[in-house]
Amino acid sequence: MVKKLLSLFIIAVAAISCADREQMLRQLEQAEQQNRDYVPFTTDSLALSLTSYFDSHGTSNERMRAHYILGCAYRDLGEAPRALECYNDAVECADTTAKDCDFKTLSRVHGQMANLFVGMTAPKLGLHHFKEAMNYSLQSKDTLSYAVFYEKQVGPYWLLNQKDSIIAVSDSAMRLYKRIGQSEYAATTRGMIVDIYISKGDIGKALENMQIYEKYSGKVSEDHFAATGHEIYYDVKGRLLLACGKIDSAKLFFERLLPFKEDIMYQEAAFRGLLSVYENKKNTDSIAKYAQLFAQTNDSSNIIKSASEITRMQSLYNYSRVQNYAAKKEKEAFKYKRLLFYIVISLLIASTAIYYYYRKRERIRKESLARINTEYSNNINMYNALLHEMKLYKESSEMYIKEKENELQRLRKEIIRYHEDETIIEKWDTEQSIQSSEILLILHNHARRSHRPNQAEWQELIKVAQNKLPRFYSIIADDDKELTEQEIIVSILIRLGFIPTEISALFGFTIQRASNLRRKINIKLFHSNDTKQLDKNIATL
């Protein structure tokens, strides 16, 4: 009964958790749609709750999206430092190594950071983040966004007064837009460089680009009226006509700015343009009139610019909120530092305990290997010594020989216990010159002490195989067998009677790894998974 109630409780908690997640995802999507629709955020409360939830329960993409929206909220609230911090948090949340990384959102994060830096008159930082935005747009295969971010580099170059760079970027952006079928975007890039060509005195280029802008951008009607928000066209067009000597036509375009009385910048442009018109016409009364009006609007414009700059800087650095936020962050940082201290201490204690545990286990393993290898090595030495002794005394009495043969058979049985097949022992009887070679004695001694041979000793072993067992070596070293250098050495050791515990000690790895290596060799040489047959199989080569 208790188990049933517990199961029901777990199911209920899971259902509530799923419902909460669905609701939070819906709210995140709604906030993203609001941002895409250019509806400004008036509070950070929703964005804060989203980051709090997804930081604990979200994927890396969801955390990035939530921090991005929080940054956009602070952007709309005029708190650029906090917006930048949130955008940086969003970048840190992104897992760019994951296959499902949301590169599209990541590109927009960098785009927003670039816009903020340009707004703060930090053009080089703006350029850096526009390039990052372009990079991630390419990774998300969003070619239109790539082209837009590429074109936006014009802003930082304008602040840097690099007119040639503005022209180069605008021209490249136009080609990019054309390539992806965005003819209106392509034509819009011409707007800014018309003004540059006028200032350079290259009227031909200015006219050429103005014609493209008027005909294809969709921002100018057939009767040369600008779309809402693009009225600065009248000023640029007027100055271009003045430069071409079409004074009356220029006057018409400057006059189209006069109705925008609430926009001091348009009024200033209109009066400046009309002043130039009447200076060309030599009309002293009108010159005096528009000179006075231009001077008044210019003064007002400077005041407004100064005031707006102060307001902008105040909004960028809302000191009271930032200071409170900094204090809160400092408190949080202290809490995390203390937590980190306890974690580090715990990890040190745990790692020390693990180190001593594995060190003890490794010592026991090595002692066990040394015991087995010593016993085996002693038996080999005694066996080889008896063989030698029997050869020396084969002319001796029959009883002596019989006694030695019995001792030899006993040792033979002891050695066979370490092998799957006795064929390899039979090989020893005919390969005494190899078994008594100095390098084999050295390697058996290394195995007794769990000592790893150096490269020169391995090379000496390979030479023994090449010289004494040339047919065997040519088979295992054949490129078609695809044995690694380590697998070739292990094959030689097996052929010369070294047992798994010795091989493990010589290479410094576990018995299991030695077994896995034997299996690989058996598959490559004999196309079999049965490692028990490996010693016998190798003995036949």
Side-chain angles (χ1 to χ4, degrees), residues 370-381:
R371 185 175 66 254
I372 295 169
N373 294 340
T374 299
E375 183 182 337
Y376 177 69
S377 181
N378 287 339
N379 285 331
I380 289 174
N381 291 336

Side-chain angles (χ1 to χ4, degrees), residues 291-303:
Q292 184 179 7
L293 288 171
F294 175 62
Q296 290 172 353
T297 53
N298 185 250
D299 290 343
S300 300
S301 174
N302 288 333
I303 292 169

Side-chain angles (χ1 to χ4, degrees), residues 177-418:
Y177 284 131
K178 283 183 176 178
R179 197 179 306 154
I180 60 176
Q182 297 290 341
S183 56
E184 287 193 1
Y185 281 89
T188 303
T189 64
R190 306 297 86 198
M192 180 173 286
I193 63 172
V194 170
D195 191 60
I196 294 175
Y197 281 125
I198 293 171
S199 67
K200 282 175 168 278
D202 192 341
I203 305 306
K205 283 282 189 181
L207 283 168
E208 177 186 336
N209 285 283
M210 178 59 84
Q211 287 171 0
I212 296 171
Y213 180 81
E214 291 175 334
K215 188 172 182 180
Y216 300 109
S217 70
K219 303 295 187 294
V220 182
S221 66
E222 290 183 3
D223 51 357
H224 294 92
F225 278 93
T228 303
H230 297 272
E231 292 84 359
I232 195 64
Y233 159 75
Y234 299 136
D235 177 47
V236 179
K237 180 71 172 179
R239 287 189 288 112
L240 178 57
L241 290 168
L242 266 181
C244 293
K246 297 180 180 180
I247 300 170
D248 291 333
S249 297
K251 176 175 175 290
L252 175 65
F253 280 93
F254 290 132
E255 286 175 342
R256 287 182 181 178
L257 287 168
L258 291 174
F260 299 96
K261 298 188 182 300
E262 294 182 1
D263 193 318
I264 193 70
M265 306 304 171
Y266 285 168
Q267 292 291 295
E268 181 184 10
F271 295 144
R272 180 184 59 234
L274 289 170
L275 175 60
S276 298
V277 166
Y278 288 113
E279 282 176 341
N280 276 276
K281 285 177 172 286
K282 312 292 185 189
N283 189 325
T284 54
D285 290 340
S286 295
I287 290 173
K289 173 185 173 182
Y290 286 106
Q292 184 179 7
L293 288 171
F294 175 62
Q296 290 172 353
T297 53
N298 185 250
D299 290 343
S300 300
S301 174
N302 288 333
I303 292 169
I304 290 170
K305 285 178 182 175
S306 299
S308 64
E309 184 65 16
I310 292 167
T311 302
R312 185 178 70 83
M313 294 305 293
Q314 285 177 337
S315 67
L316 287 176
Y317 299 94
N318 190 329
Y319 291 110
S320 60
R321 291 194 65 176
V322 171
Q323 285 175 343
N324 291 336
Y325 180 72
K328 179 183 174 184
K329 282 290 183 181
E330 188 177 353
K331 190 174 180 180
E332 287 179 4
F334 177 75
K335 181 177 73 175
Y336 286 125
K337 282 180 182 177
R338 186 169 59 184
L339 178 62
L340 182 63
F341 172 77
Y342 290 131
I343 290 172
V344 169
I345 293 297
S346 301
L347 286 173
L348 283 173
I349 294 170
S351 59
T352 302
I354 292 169
Y355 169 75
Y356 282 109
Y357 168 76
Y358 279 105
R359 187 176 175 184
K360 181 179 179 182
R361 198 172 80 166
E362 182 66 11
R363 179 173 54 79
I364 293 170
R365 186 184 73 82
K366 285 186 177 181
E367 287 175 354
S368 175
L369 288 178
R371 185 175 66 254
I372 295 169
N373 294 340
T374 299
E375 183 182 337
Y376 177 69
S377 181
N378 287 339
N379 285 331
I380 289 174
N381 291 336
M382 291 171 65
Y383 183 83
N384 289 332
L386 276 171
L387 278 178
H388 182 67
E389 192 175 348
M390 283 185 67
K391 286 178 181 178
L392 290 175
Y393 294 100
K394 64 180 177 179
E395 302 295 331
S396 300
S397 66
E398 188 177 332
M399 184 180 297
Y400 179 83
I401 293 172
K402 187 71 174 174
E403 179 185 337
K404 294 301 179 183
E405 283 179 344
N406 290 338
E407 179 66 13
L408 202 61
Q409 288 301 320
R410 183 188 69 78
L411 288 171
R412 188 187 188 95
K413 289 178 182 177
E414 283 292 317
I415 294 170
I416 287 172
R417 286 195 303 112
Y418 296 92

Side-chain angles (χ1 to χ4, degrees), residues 84-112:
L84 281 172
E85 184 174 0
C86 294
Y87 292 144
N88 275 314
D89 290 341
V91 170
E92 289 176 7
C93 288
D95 181 3
T96 55
T97 61
K99 289 183 179 179
D100 65 341
C101 180
D102 185 357
F103 288 115
K104 190 169 185 176
T105 297
L106 185 56
S107 71
R108 280 153 176 70
V109 174
H110 282 287
Q112 288 294 332

Side-chain angles (χ1 to χ4, degrees), residues 58-191:
T59 63
S60 57
N61 283 336
E62 288 163 352
R63 293 196 298 275
M64 174 176 60
R65 289 163 60 193
H67 282 280
Y68 172 52
I69 287 299
L70 183 58
C72 291
Y74 288 128
R75 172 203 64 199
D76 293 344
L77 292 170
E79 297 182 36
R82 292 184 70 176
L84 281 172
E85 184 174 0
C86 294
Y87 292 144
N88 275 314
D89 290 341
V91 170
E92 289 176 7
C93 288
D95 181 3
T96 55
T97 61
K99 289 183 179 179
D100 65 341
C101 180
D102 185 357
F103 288 115
K104 190 169 185 176
T105 297
L106 185 56
S107 71
R108 280 153 176 70
V109 174
H110 282 287
Q112 288 294 332
M113 293 173 79
N115 289 334
L116 280 176
F117 281 123
V118 171
M120 292 176 176
T121 322
K124 290 185 179 179
L125 287 171
L127 278 173
H128 167 74
H129 285 284
F130 277 135
K131 291 184 189 301
E132 289 290 291
M134 289 155 55
N135 172 41
Y136 292 122
S137 293
L138 282 181
Q139 294 196 50
S140 67
K141 297 181 173 57
D142 186 352
T143 52
L144 177 57
S145 291
Y146 173 84
V148 169
F149 289 130
Y150 186 91
E151 183 193 2
K152 280 179 172 285
Q153 294 178 106
V154 165
Y157 284 128
W158 186 269
L159 291 173
L160 292 167
N161 196 32
Q162 295 181 8
K163 293 182 179 180
D164 289 339
S165 296
I166 293 171
I167 293 172
V169 167
S170 296
D171 288 346
S172 296
M174 181 179 70
R175 289 192 291 271
L176 280 171
Y177 284 131
K178 283 183 176 178
R179 197 179 306 154
I180 60 176
Q182 297 290 341
S183 56
E184 287 193 1
Y185 281 89
T188 303
T189 64
R190 306 297 86 198

